Amino acid sequence: MRGADETGPGAAFGVYIHWPFCLSKCPYCDFNSHVRHVAIDEARFLRAFLAEIAANAERAPGRTVTSIFFGGGTPSLMQPATVAAILDGVARGWNVAADVEVTLEANPTSVEATRFRGYRAAGVNRVSLGVQALDDGALRRLGRTHTAEEALAAVAIARQVFERYSFDLIYARENQAPEAWAAELKRAIGEAAEHLSLYQLTIEMDTPFAALRAAGKLTVPDEDCARGLYDTTQDICAGAGLPAYEVSNHARPGAECRHNLIYWRMQEYAGIGPGAHGRLDIDARRHATVTEKRPEAWLVRVEQSRHGIVTDDILTREEIADEFLLMGLRLTEGIDPRFYARIAGRALDPRRLATLNQEGAVEITAEGRLRVTPAGFPVLDAVVADLAA
Ligand SMILES: C[S@@+](CC[C@H](N)C(=O)[O-])C[C@H]1O[C@@H](n2cnc3c(N)ncnc32)[C@H](O)[C@@H]1O
Ligand code: SF4
């Protein structure tokens, strides 16, 4: 992982591009993803992406882009030529670092895997595959349209085509026994190279899963059981050389997702596409931007004013400091409390720190960094709330 001195503005610059469409909507998902039963005018979306990139580059010029991330939705539904044109647009707006990380999220279906070589030729050098489970029954219940075999075939193609790949699994699923999860995870690690994202199933409001649970038709593991699954996850991954570097992300040292580190280290990024968030430092002030969420309304807005930004807040010192804690403490590297004091204009409360330390939830490293301990991670929200109060 890169050094802590790289935390903060100026150290890295990311560009996030949101493709908001999926072939079907998974019943657990509350991402900004939509299903359309008419053909999507990809050329029109491309023009809008290019306009919004150019507008962002004018607002925040002179940066060197260190990572680009195509997220979704399902960006692997885009034509490789569209991805290539967007990458050209980024390079027209900003300098691009020679070792830029370019990630694309892909659904592991056979159709999408046929496009992998095209994405590689376009400049994508890392894929993140939504495998979700290695059990066909679980995949069906998650509403996925691929089998475990198909997903593993996509992983094998990713391995041949890209320098770097990662895949996602969801655990703490309905009726998931600890031994079954341990076996599934070990199998996944056998297929993983350098990075795995392991998410505990969250029942998001207003999703079909929330309705099923409310109706008593979906039972997810209780808190104790989920905690057991989390602990198993940490032990198995650490033992296999893929320790957690963030709450849900595991990597071999040096193989962390550089783009996501930008969010957690509170560095700068531009958010392009429907519902994308950005953090830009303009005239020494931190702007938090959000674009119009509805895809077609975003298109119209960009066509009218070259960007789809609907919220552009200048964050106060207090808000920046809170965000720094909230995001930074997700990382096992933790935060530099001196940097916090510079942002907030005051140090963290030493009594609260001492109490949390005595409770075993946080520790100060030899280099003076504050980090959450393995015992503290399951209660991270409470730790952050306590420190930010
Ligand atoms: C933007 S989504 C996925 C990319 C891609 N569309 C796919 O589904 O393969 C990123 C990841 O978030 C995770 N995720 C989404 N909703 C979740 C939920 N309710 N609980 C836990 N993980 C979730 C999934 O693992 C998913 O792969
Ligand atoms: S999990 Fe992925 S494929 Fe499923 S609806 Fe969400 S973004 Fe789309």
Side-chain angles (χ1 to χ4, degrees):
M1 235 196 255
R2 288 194 283 173
D5 52 333
E6 300 222 5
T7 296
F13 186 74
V15 179
Y16 175 79
I17 294 143
H18 191 78
W19 181 255
F21 301 113
C22 294
L23 288 182
S24 58
K25 183 84 187 175
C26 305
Y28 53 85
C29 176
D30 80 339
F31 280 82
N32 186 27
S33 61
H34 308 263
V35 178
R36 295 285 179 264
H37 299 292
V38 289
I40 289 150
D41 188 345
E42 201 167 317
R44 190 171 165 206
F45 270 92
L46 172 59
R47 285 193 296 278
F49 282 126
L50 294 177
E52 196 165 53
I53 289 166
N56 270 265
E58 279 167 29
R59 258 192 114 197
R63 313 298 200 267
T64 296
V65 176
T66 51
S67 69
I68 302 169
F69 195 102
F70 291 89
T74 308
S76 53
L77 295 174
M78 287 162 113
Q79 298 301 320
T82 304
V83 171
I86 291 173
L87 292 176
D88 286 347
V90 171
R92 278 195 298 277
W94 293 287
N95 297 322
V96 177
D99 65 344
V100 65
E101 174 189 272
V102 185
T103 304
L104 182 131
E105 278 181 348
N107 279 31
T109 70
S110 50
V111 178
E112 281 149 288
T114 58
R115 287 194 277 267
F116 284 3
R117 283 184 205 284
Y119 295 136
R120 179 68 200 96
V124 172
N125 52 29
R126 182 175 182 277
V127 278
S128 172
L129 293 152
V131 170
Q132 319 306 6
L134 292 177
D135 174 276
D136 286 342
L139 285 169
R140 263 194 308 279
R141 284 190 292 281
L142 289 170
R144 302 294 292 183
T145 57
H146 53 85
T147 61
E149 196 187 327
E150 201 179 359
L152 290 177
V155 169
I157 298 173
R159 188 180 299 127
Q160 284 165 18
V161 174
F162 296 100
E163 293 93 318
R164 301 172 63 197
Y165 70 92
S166 173
F167 59 84
D168 301 348
L169 294 178
I170 296 180
Y171 70 97
R173 306 184 305 249
E174 189 173 25
N175 299 326
Q176 192 171 34
E179 314 73 49
W181 168 235
E184 187 176 354
L185 180 57
K186 285 180 189 159
R187 193 167 158 224
I189 289 172
E191 300 285 340
E194 53 161 38
H195 193 285
L196 269 181
S197 300
L198 304 169
Y199 299 108
Q200 198 167 315
L201 177 65
T202 311
I203 306 296
E204 305 286 359
M205 269 184 352
D206 299 327
T207 57
F209 265 22
L212 283 174
R213 189 172 63 174
K217 293 180 182 160
L218 173 69
T219 321
V220 288
D222 63 20
E223 213 172 292
D224 283 350
C225 189
R227 174 68 200 271
L229 292 167
Y230 171 83
D231 290 342
T232 302
T233 306
Q234 304 312 307
D235 291 348
I236 293 178
C237 287
L242 284 164
Y245 67 98
E246 190 266 348
V247 178
S248 307
N249 284 280
H250 298 253
R252 300 201 189 286
E256 298 83 7
C257 172
R258 276 186 250 156
H259 187 82
N260 287 339
L261 284 177
I262 285 181
Y263 303 148
W264 298 316
R265 287 180 175 161
M266 221 194 60
Q267 293 162 330
E268 253 193 312
Y269 55 97
I272 310 292
H277 289 242
R279 292 286 181 277
L280 294 175
D281 297 316
I282 300 165
D283 298 332
R285 294 200 288 186
R286 172 143 285 219
H287 290 244
T289 62
V290 189
T291 56
E292 164 62 52
K293 211 173 161 190
R294 294 163 300 160
E296 291 74 14
W298 171 82
L299 257 186
V300 171
R301 241 172 208 279
V302 178
E303 286 168 353
Q304 283 166 356
S305 36
R306 295 182 65 235
H307 68 77
I309 293 174
V310 288
T311 304
D312 185 1
D313 291 334
I314 294 173
L315 300 183
T316 64
R317 268 183 112 141
E318 203 58 34
E319 286 168 336
I320 300 173
D322 284 350
E323 195 164 286
F324 180 62
L325 274 185
L326 189 74
M327 300 303 272
L329 289 179
R330 296 180 66 92
L331 291 170
T332 54
E333 70 178 14
I335 61 152
D336 184 344
R338 290 155 292 201
F339 192 71
Y340 175 87
R342 274 215 301 282
I343 310 171
R346 61 176 169 83
L348 287 162
D349 182 343
R351 277 165 313 177
R352 284 182 202 272
L353 274 180
T355 309
L356 286 168
N357 181 247
Q358 274 157 19
E359 289 167 3
V362 301
E363 62 191 4
I364 301 282
T365 67
E367 303 81 44
R369 294 182 71 76
L370 168 67
R371 66 180 187 204
V372 174
T373 61
F377 268 110
V379 289
L380 179 63
D381 291 348
V383 172
V384 172
D386 199 2
L387 287 172

